[in-house]
């Protein structure tokens, strides 16, 4: 099993060159905040990400890929004037 500290580090590195802060909640879930480092503009904020299935590099990569996809969708909707909020579990 991957430690929560290592898991957080892997997720945070998965969003470079953007900044990412990944924190663990008391219930064991994660909160992931991705933002532009120069402006602090939040690109993505998800809460309640369950960690029990994040036990392999493939599962972690799939999560990061899905979150990148969410960011692309939100940028597209925002650009077209259809604001959106997302949550991933």
């Amino acid at each position: 099993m991957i430690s929560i500290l290592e898991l957080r580090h892997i997720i945070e590195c998965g969003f470079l060159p953007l900044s990412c802060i990944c924190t663990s909640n008391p219930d064991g879930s994660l909160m992931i905040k991705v933002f532009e480092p120069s402006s602090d503009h939040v690109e993505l904020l998800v809460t309640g990400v369950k960690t029990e299935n994040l036990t392999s590099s493939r599962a972690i990569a799939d999560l990061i890929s899905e979150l990148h996809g969410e960011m692309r969708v939100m940028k597209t909707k925002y650009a077209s004037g259809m604001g959106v909020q997302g949550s991933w579990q």
Side-chain angles (χ1 to χ4, degrees):
M1 171 134 182
I2 298 172
S3 74
I4 196 71
L5 185 60
E6 186 175 10
L7 177 60
R8 288 174 43 205
H9 177 72
I10 293 167
I11 292 170
E12 290 171 350
C13 289
F15 290 95
L16 292 171
L18 295 173
S19 292
C20 178
I21 297 174
C22 184
T23 56
S24 51
N25 297 315
D27 66 358
S29 67
L30 298 176
M31 190 248 345
I32 302 169
K33 177 182 175 183
V34 181
F35 58 98
E36 177 61 47
S38 61
S39 66
D40 287 336
H41 172 39
V42 176
E43 299 285 333
L44 180 73
L45 177 63
V46 289
T47 59
V49 177
K50 297 178 183 176
T51 59
E52 56 263 6
N53 294 326
L54 300 176
T55 57
S56 68
S57 57
R58 169 60 76 190
I60 297 166
D62 287 346
L63 168 66
I64 293 169
S65 178
E66 185 163 344
L67 294 177
H68 275 283
E70 288 285 328
M71 288 171 50
R72 282 189 298 275
V73 167
M74 290 188 330
K75 280 186 179 184
T76 301
K77 288 186 177 184
Y78 181 76
S80 68
M82 297 176 52
V84 64
Q85 294 182 359
S87 177
W88 189 88
Q89 292 189 14

